[in-house]
Amino acid sequence: RIVGQSGAMAAGRPVPPEELESVPTVELLNELKRRHKLLSHPPARVALLGPPCVGKRMQAEAFRRAFGICRVSGADLMAAANSAANSAGSLDERAVSALTGLLERPQCRRGFVLEGFPTTAVQAQRLQEALERQGKGPLEDVIFLDAEEDSLLERCRGRMIHEPSGRLYHEQFKPPIEAGVDDFTGDALTKPAHADVDFKKRLAKYQEDSALLKAFYERAGLKREVSAAEGADIVASACAEALKKR
């Protein structure tokens, strides 16, 4: 239930007392313990990259909760850049500008995880320069998730989402407790639209752009490669281990 309180909190409004009163004491205490434990973790500034359907969003959420940092989606940044098409600057410059604005939020004070951004070496360079200007500190780790094409395609086909919260599930790798419904609310889950042809185009684009992007971050000593072939919990553990290789 606590997950369901995120709407008011994300908007900067306090949760109504009557809603907090409805949360079992055990759940409140567990959440307090989780947040207190986060204080012992150092700040983190991470980018989580990879091909379509590799599980970037799911792992970015795991990072957000594990480190008490904010999650910023590359898709949201590009949408913001496109909506500001009449503003000065290139699409990449507008996306980076949107990011620097989001990083000023209170939930980003301990760091951030970028989900699917940057996607090109040019974006990576602009991001590095923008973080330096903002004084936020540079990226510390850039994790590249990867899996075989057949596995990626299977993940695309099996994805499910709880639309109101954005919680993700997968028929095989992260199934809900009860088939077809959200674990927390009991709402029906939906399956995002998928077309194999579109997937292959996006995969080809990623493969084209990622070679230079990996080289950029390898030169900077930030590149970490993690196999995403296993289930979500195993991949999350592998990502955590990758951070220890700084």
Side-chain angles (χ1 to χ4, degrees), residues 5 12 17 35-36 46 62 71 94 106 113 136 145 153 187 199:
Q5 313 298 332
R35 295 192 186 192
H36 185 266
V46 182
R71 176 180 69 87
R94 295 196 301 273
V113 54
K136 288 289 183 183
L145 299 173
L153 193 53
D187 295 342
F199 162 79

Side-chain angles (χ1 to χ4, degrees), residues 26-187:
V26 172
E27 290 188 25
L28 284 174
L29 289 175
N30 286 339
E31 178 64 11
L32 285 172
K33 289 177 183 177
R34 184 189 74 83
R35 295 192 186 192
H36 185 266
K37 185 178 179 180
L38 293 178
L39 298 178
S40 65
H41 292 174
R45 298 183 295 275
V46 182
L48 199 56
L49 311 176
C53 296
V54 77
K56 296 185 291 293
R57 180 171 177 178
M58 195 171 287
Q59 295 306 321
E61 271 298 297
F63 266 110
R64 183 189 66 78
R65 286 186 59 79
F67 287 88
I69 58 182
C70 67
R71 176 180 69 87
V72 180
S73 162
D76 291 343
L77 293 179
M78 297 313 293
N82 280 314
S83 68
N86 293 328
S87 302
S90 66
L91 185 65
D92 287 347
E93 289 171 332
R94 295 196 301 273
V96 171
S97 177
L99 171 60
T100 55
L102 290 173
L103 293 184
E104 294 296 337
R105 297 175 298 171
Q107 57 264 48
C108 300
R109 63 183 179 275
R110 287 181 49 82
F112 54 85
V113 54
L114 304 181
E115 171 208 329
F117 188 87
T119 60
T120 66
V122 172
Q123 287 180 351
Q125 181 65 45
R126 292 191 187 282
L127 172 62
Q128 179 175 296
E129 294 167 355
L131 291 175
E132 289 174 357
R133 288 195 301 270
Q134 196 175 21
K136 288 289 183 183
L139 283 172
E140 298 172 315
D141 300 274
V142 180
I143 296 177
F144 287 88
L145 299 173
D146 204 5
E148 296 294 329
E149 182 174 340
D150 289 346
S151 177
L152 294 172
L153 193 53
E154 182 182 16
R155 288 171 184 263
C156 280
R157 292 169 176 165
R159 288 186 304 171
M160 298 178 289
I161 186 170
H162 178 243
E163 296 285 357
S165 68
R167 279 187 290 277
L168 294 176
Y169 298 87
H170 191 277
E171 292 172 343
Q172 177 182 351
F173 297 104
K174 192 183 177 183
I177 296 171
E178 182 181 345
V181 299
D182 179 54
D183 290 347
F184 297 91
T185 65
D187 295 342

Side-chain angles (χ1 to χ4, degrees), residues 2-19:
I2 289 177
V3 175
Q5 313 298 332
S6 59
M9 296 176 71
R13 302 188 303 271
V15 177
E18 59 272 17
E19 290 190 19

